[in-house]
Amino acid sequence: MNEKNIFIKILKLDKNIYFELIGNQTNIQKGIAIYLATTILSTLGVGKLFQSTVEFLNTNISLVSQDLPSEELSLIRQLIVEFELLNSQYNDTGTLLTTLFNSIVSGVIVTGIMFFLLKYLFRKFPKYSDLIIVFCFSSVPSFLFGISLFSSSFLVQIILLLVIGVYGLATLGSGLKQIYSLRGMEVLLLLVTVFFGTSIASSLFV
């Protein structure tokens, strides 16, 4: 099966795609490559969002400046400066490399936690390599961040960020449910673990 068909099946939440993927252990290399590529796209997409936020605030601040107290106006201008700083950081090669490293470490930590929960809490028999394949291929929706790189609309980028975040959790949940025959609440617990585990792991490198 070629990559195009794999991506389409993942996005459609196909009920057998993850079984097909773990059936070929060489997919672990493809999965890691996809995970790293989507991490780069996500970082660039967030950087683009900061840029659009700055442009949005700069465009609209003049429209509301007369109606706002000086303190609130000063706060908005300070916020613009902070977003400009974040935007410059996300366009830096060093930041991109750091984000890649952080994502790899976060991925190892999160999959480790899921492995522990699957084995000792849910009494399953997970293979760590299978879990890596499911985790990495479930990041496919993040390729949609590529759309945001060609859009100047602040609203479109916000919507994309929310949709991709929810869609990514849905594809991961679908994969975990397929491979480990989990119930809804068990899948939800693992997704919550992923969300908070990623946040905590990322904060360790800030």
Side-chain angles (χ1 to χ4, degrees):
M1 187 187 303
N2 60 40
E3 281 74 12
K4 181 180 178 182
N5 289 335
I6 290 173
F7 290 178
I8 290 173
K9 283 192 171 186
I10 290 173
L11 292 174
K12 289 172 65 176
L13 303 180
D14 184 89
K15 293 183 178 180
N16 298 304
I17 180 60
Y18 289 97
F19 279 115
E20 296 176 25
L21 290 172
I22 67 172
N24 183 358
Q25 286 296 306
T26 60
N27 281 326
I28 194 168
Q29 287 90 356
K30 290 182 181 179
I32 291 172
I34 288 170
Y35 180 69
L36 294 178
T38 54
T39 296
I40 292 173
L41 268 178
S42 300
T43 304
L44 294 175
V46 172
K48 179 73 173 180
L49 177 61
F50 284 136
Q51 179 183 341
S52 298
T53 302
V54 170
E55 293 172 356
F56 177 82
L57 291 174
N58 278 326
T59 301
N60 291 279
I61 191 172
S62 58
L63 301 176
V64 298
S65 58
Q66 295 180 348
D67 301 323
L68 290 176
S70 58
E71 291 182 358
E72 291 185 11
L73 195 59
S74 175
L75 185 62
I76 292 175
R77 284 175 176 155
Q78 183 180 349
L79 189 63
I80 292 174
V81 172
E82 291 178 359
F83 274 120
E84 287 175 339
L85 179 60
L86 287 171
N87 179 43
S88 64
Q89 289 176 347
Y90 271 85
N91 289 323
D92 179 70
T93 304
T95 300
L96 194 58
L97 294 175
T98 301
T99 302
L100 276 174
F101 174 76
N102 292 351
S103 295
I104 292 171
V105 176
S106 297
V108 171
I109 292 173
V110 168
T111 51
I113 294 172
M114 287 195 295
F115 180 86
F116 179 85
L117 290 175
L118 284 166
K119 186 172 184 178
Y120 297 105
L121 182 61
F122 302 144
R123 303 298 180 183
K124 305 296 180 180
F125 301 95
K127 284 177 61 179
Y128 190 65
S129 57
D130 291 349
L131 194 55
I132 291 175
I133 290 174
V134 172
F135 180 76
C136 290
F137 273 92
S138 69
S139 66
V140 162
S142 292
F143 278 119
L144 297 174
F145 269 116
I147 299 173
S148 69
L149 300 180
F150 300 98
S151 173
S152 58
S153 170
F154 173 72
L155 182 59
V156 167
Q157 290 168 17
I158 287 288
I159 292 173
L160 271 174
L161 182 64
L162 294 174
V163 169
I164 292 170
V166 173
Y167 209 169
L169 289 175
T171 54
L172 178 58
S174 174
L176 293 171
K177 188 172 184 178
Q178 281 179 43
I179 304 303
Y180 303 110
S181 302
L182 299 174
R183 293 171 296 181
M185 287 303 297
E186 293 172 335
V187 173
L188 182 60
L189 177 59
L190 286 175
L191 293 181
V192 170
T193 300
V194 170
F195 180 80
F196 285 104
T198 302
S199 301
I200 294 170
S202 299
S203 68
L204 297 176
F205 305 98
V206 176

